[in-house]
Amino acid sequence: MHINSLGYQTDLALLRLGGSEIEDRGDHIAVRSPHNPGHWWGNFLLLQSPPTAEDTDHWLKAFANEFPEANHIALGFDGVDGSADDLSPFRNRGLSVEGQAVMTATTVHEPPRPNRDAKYRALSSDKDWEQLIELRMSCIGEGLDAQSYHDFTVAKVATVRRLVESGHGAWFGAFKDDRLLSGMGLFHAGEGLARFQSVETRPDARDRGLAGTLVHHVSAYGFTELRARTLVMVADPQYLAIRVYRSVGFAETETQLQAEKPPNSHT
């Protein structure tokens, strides 16, 4: 199956590097991550396009058959445009539907208010990686089970650390007094492409210009060390952080459609 979406192209590239199993079924792609079963978007189906209302149940059953042990549902839809309204049949069945902004940059510049107080560097020590788990837990989404999210986070951090140690990219942080306040990863994701991962800032350290300054710093690494021509990140268009990415030169170039059902919710 040919993939048009730059967002899903880079998603799959990083999942493959991380050890996920990716199987092309012709009209869809099945992605499985046995090393992290709690990773919703490491265990999902990618369809060619949003199906008709009549085919919606077919794909929900296909997901259940593919992942009989899963207590979530995650379906992606290839394409470069559209909106969440294109997925209304899934919304009508109780799933959350989203049109995420795929943002790209071929050059970047400093944010309007760069933060000069923090130290910006790549994570390297065991302590650094332990702090990344703490940082990610501090940003846990509303309504998520803390223990399940912790298990997912520990497995995810182990995966990205292996990617770093294998030379596929790096994870960077903004540190103040050796405390990790903001972090993000950037990895090679195909010819001329590098993909950002998990741009996060501790709640008590936001609105200081840390994320924008770090994105600028990490982007320079992507252009020079990873030899990327295009940097890619995916962001929630409704979340204020998207302004941060725009402020350093990223622009929305595609829309990435997805539908999901968190564990223990009802369809």
Side-chain angles (χ1 to χ4, degrees), residues 193-204:
L193 297 173
R195 171 69 184 267
F196 274 86
Q197 292 281 279
S198 302
V199 180
E200 294 171 314
T201 302
R202 291 182 185 270
D204 63 357

Side-chain angles (χ1 to χ4, degrees), residues 81-228:
D81 53 20
S83 72
D85 289 341
D86 297 328
L87 305 177
S88 57
F90 291 98
R91 181 191 291 126
N92 294 340
R93 285 160 176 77
L95 279 72
S96 298
V97 298
E98 295 179 306
Q100 299 274 66
V102 179
M103 308 187 74
T104 59
T106 54
T107 60
V108 294
H109 51 77
E110 276 197 331
R113 296 184 301 110
N115 182 296
R116 311 289 190 196
D117 297 327
K119 180 178 180 180
Y120 303 91
R121 63 172 177 82
L123 275 60
S124 57
S125 68
D126 289 343
K127 180 182 177 181
D128 288 345
W129 291 105
E130 289 166 4
Q131 285 202 71
L132 178 58
I133 294 173
E134 295 172 7
L135 167 62
R136 301 207 66 187
M137 289 303 298
S138 75
C139 300
I140 185 172
E142 207 173 303
L144 295 179
D145 176 74
Q147 185 58 57
S148 296
Y149 191 74
H150 182 268
D151 294 343
F152 152 73
T153 299
V154 169
K156 182 66 174 176
V157 169
T159 296
V160 298
R161 186 173 184 177
R162 286 195 297 271
L163 291 183
V164 169
E165 292 173 349
S166 298
H168 297 296
W171 207 278
F172 291 84
F175 291 83
K176 180 70 173 177
D177 298 325
D178 208 32
R179 180 174 181 246
L180 178 62
L181 301 179
S182 183
M184 61 195 68
L186 185 67
F187 296 94
H188 176 74
E191 183 64 33
L193 297 173
R195 171 69 184 267
F196 274 86
Q197 292 281 279
S198 302
V199 180
E200 294 171 314
T201 302
R202 291 182 185 270
D204 63 357
R206 292 173 184 169
D207 300 319
R208 301 186 196 174
L210 291 167
T213 308
L214 188 56
V215 168
H216 177 252
H217 176 86
V218 177
S219 295
Y221 161 83
F223 289 130
T224 56
E225 300 298 321
L226 296 183
R227 299 186 180 277

